[in-house]
Amino acid sequence: MSVHLLEPSPVTEARAARPCRLCGHGLEHSLVDLGMSPLCESILAPGQLDAMEPYFPLHVLICGQCFLVQLGQYVSPEHIFREYAYFSSYSTTWVAHAKAYCEMIAPRLGLGPDSLVVELASNDGYLLQHFLPLGVPVLGIEPAANVAQVAIDSGIATRVDFFGVALADALVADGRRADLIIGNNVLAQVPDLNDFVAGMARLLAPDGVITLEFPHLERLIAENQFDTIYHEHFSYFSLISIERLAAGHGLKLIDVDELPTHGGSLRVYLAHLGSTWPAAPRVADLLARERRRGFDDIATYASFAERVTRTKRSLLSFLIAAKDAGKVICGYGAPGKGNTLLNYCGIGTDFLEFTVDRNPYKHGRFTPGMHIPIHPVEAIDELRPDYVLILPWNLKDEITQQMRHIGAWGGRFIVPIPQMTVIDPKEARS
Ligand SMILES: [Zn+2]
């Protein structure tokens, strides 16, 4: 009997380990595999709903050598950032955070009319605007032209470009050196980490300071923040990995702050190795704490994946029971992190009527993958849902305050991370 066989496919060799983005060592360890997922920031216009949608692996690996947690790069930064939908100024909490930073750092570094502050990924000028009343010259670097235009229109010098050694050298050739370089929530989104940090080192004046803010890997692991993992975030940093990255480019850690933003962030202060800046004791203290907690030991990371699947099961169990009981649920927010959660858990319009967002750019569009419609915030008042699932849980205090009136019709909030919690607005802190 003859059996029709398909053309045998070539023997699949175990894929050669991809090199670590920081140190080049082969990546052999998995942190968590969230399956296939669309790009989190690619919200869809109605005309795109019938089109094929690209999905990419959301499989997080960790380097056994330098402990950088990282995703493979499946799309170019040009694709992600040329038309970016995120305008920082739509978060009042974030703008207030930026203002407080500017008012702290300007006197600390003695910045004045002869200084230059450069912000990398300056977005719509949400931060640099606060230096203008202080009389400090600024330059924003922002690759997304539509977002940069908002900053330019409000008088904030902004260059539409990607940052790296090439741009740093061009600026230095123009006679510009930065006394302060700011990078808030940009390091994670840089595919070529070494080029980016080398560029900062070249642009930095001899006694200048770099401050970088990024979500702290320690909080991601401890608080189960798996939804902060998405394709646009290539890297996830501990202080241990940052120290190694900085040292590779002649930079040293001189201070570190632990911040509540984005579920728990670090703000690191870097300076040239040869500069006279001393290192604050907090640097050694935090490095020691990370080592004590095992962030330099691959075994520490092994239990994370199981905690992620447990969170998925408990959230789905709650939503299924609520729907079976006839409850009406909608979402709040359409952030990138929401899309990882929705796609990984398979939460679509079978659970959520719609989600809302304060950013008008997103209205009338749909979340990637699950195709949940995005409405203005007022849609919640019309629907009067039983539950509002807060997707940007890092802003839950702000949102539960702004939306506490849902308690008038018995509405309650669901916060999915670190574990599923229901909040009655009548009991939320005011
Ligand atoms: Zn590495």
Side-chain angles (χ1 to χ4, degrees), residues 19-27 62-68 70 244:
C20 168
R21 177 169 294 123
L22 197 169
C23 75
H25 195 77
L27 295 170
I62 176 164
C63 176
Q65 194 69 28
C66 72
F67 305 101
L68 182 70
Q70 54 200 288
R244 176 157 181 162

Coordinates of all heavy atoms in Angstrom, one line a residue, residues 19-27 62-68 70 244, ligand 1:
P19 N 21.7 35.8 20.2 CA 22.7 36.5 21.1 C 22.0 37.5 22.0 O 21.0 38.2 21.6 CB 23.7 37.2 20.2 CG 22.9 37.4 18.9 CD 21.9 36.3 18.8
C20 N 22.4 37.6 23.3 CA 21.9 38.6 24.2 C 22.2 40.0 23.6 O 23.2 40.3 23.1 CB 22.6 38.5 25.5 SG 22.3 39.8 26.7
R21 N 21.2 40.9 23.8 CA 21.2 42.2 23.3 C 22.3 43.1 24.0 O 22.8 44.0 23.5 CB 19.8 42.9 23.5 CG 19.7 44.3 23.1 CD 18.2 44.7 23.1 NE 17.5 44.0 22.1 CZ 16.4 43.2 22.3 NH1 15.9 43.1 23.5 NH2 15.8 42.6 21.3
L22 N 22.6 42.7 25.2 CA 23.6 43.5 26.0 C 25.0 42.9 25.9 O 25.9 43.6 25.5 CB 23.1 43.5 27.5 CG 23.7 44.6 28.4 CD1 23.0 44.6 29.7 CD2 25.2 44.4 28.7
C23 N 25.1 41.6 26.1 CA 26.5 41.1 26.2 C 26.9 40.1 25.1 O 28.0 39.7 25.0 CB 26.7 40.4 27.6 SG 25.9 38.8 27.7
G24 N 25.9 39.7 24.3 CA 26.2 38.8 23.2 C 26.2 37.4 23.5 O 26.3 36.5 22.5
H25 N 26.1 37.0 24.7 CA 26.0 35.6 25.1 C 24.8 34.9 24.5 O 23.7 35.5 24.4 CB 26.0 35.5 26.6 CG 26.3 34.2 27.2 ND1 27.6 33.7 27.3 CD2 25.5 33.2 27.7 CE1 27.5 32.5 27.9 NE2 26.3 32.2 28.1
G26 N 24.8 33.6 24.2 CA 23.7 32.9 23.6 C 22.5 32.8 24.7 O 22.8 32.5 25.8
L27 N 21.3 33.1 24.2 CA 20.2 33.1 25.2 C 19.6 31.7 25.2 O 19.1 31.1 24.2 CB 19.1 34.0 24.7 CG 19.5 35.5 24.7 CD1 18.4 36.4 24.0 CD2 19.7 36.0 26.1
I62 N 15.9 35.1 29.2 CA 16.8 35.8 30.1 C 18.2 35.3 29.8 O 18.5 34.1 29.6 CB 16.4 35.6 31.6 CG1 17.4 36.2 32.5 CG2 16.2 34.1 31.9 CD1 16.9 36.4 33.9
C63 N 19.2 36.2 29.9 CA 20.6 35.9 29.6 C 21.2 35.3 30.9 O 21.1 35.9 32.0 CB 21.3 37.2 29.2 SG 23.1 36.9 28.9
G64 N 21.8 34.2 30.8 CA 22.4 33.5 31.9 C 23.8 34.2 32.3 O 24.4 33.9 33.3
Q65 N 24.2 35.1 31.5 CA 25.5 35.8 31.7 C 25.3 37.1 32.4 O 25.9 37.4 33.4 CB 26.2 35.9 30.4 CG 27.7 36.3 30.4 CD 28.5 35.1 31.0 OE1 28.1 34.0 30.8 NE2 29.6 35.4 31.6
C66 N 24.5 38.0 31.8 CA 24.3 39.4 32.3 C 23.0 39.6 33.0 O 22.7 40.6 33.5 CB 24.6 40.4 31.3 SG 23.3 40.5 30.0
F67 N 22.1 38.6 32.8 CA 20.7 38.6 33.5 C 19.8 39.7 32.9 O 18.9 40.1 33.5 CB 20.8 38.7 35.0 CG 21.6 37.6 35.5 CD1 22.9 37.8 35.9 CD2 21.1 36.3 35.6 CE1 23.7 36.8 36.4 CE2 21.9 35.2 36.1 CZ 23.2 35.5 36.5
L68 N 20.1 40.1 31.6 CA 19.1 41.0 31.0 C 18.0 40.1 30.5 O 18.1 39.1 29.8 CB 19.8 41.7 29.8 CG 18.8 42.6 29.1 CD1 18.5 43.9 29.9 CD2 19.4 43.1 27.7
Q70 N 14.8 39.8 28.1 CA 14.6 40.4 26.8 C 13.7 39.6 25.9 O 13.5 38.4 26.1 CB 16.0 40.6 26.1 CG 16.8 39.3 26.1 CD 18.3 39.6 25.9 OE1 18.7 40.0 24.8 NE2 19.1 39.4 26.9
R244 N 26.0 46.9 34.4 CA 26.9 46.3 33.5 C 26.8 47.0 32.1 O 27.9 47.3 31.5 CB 26.5 44.8 33.3 CG 27.3 44.2 32.2 CD 27.3 42.7 32.3 NE 28.1 42.1 31.3 CZ 28.6 40.9 31.3 NH1 28.4 40.1 32.4 NH2 29.3 40.4 30.3
Ligands
ZN1 ZN 23.7 39.0 28.3

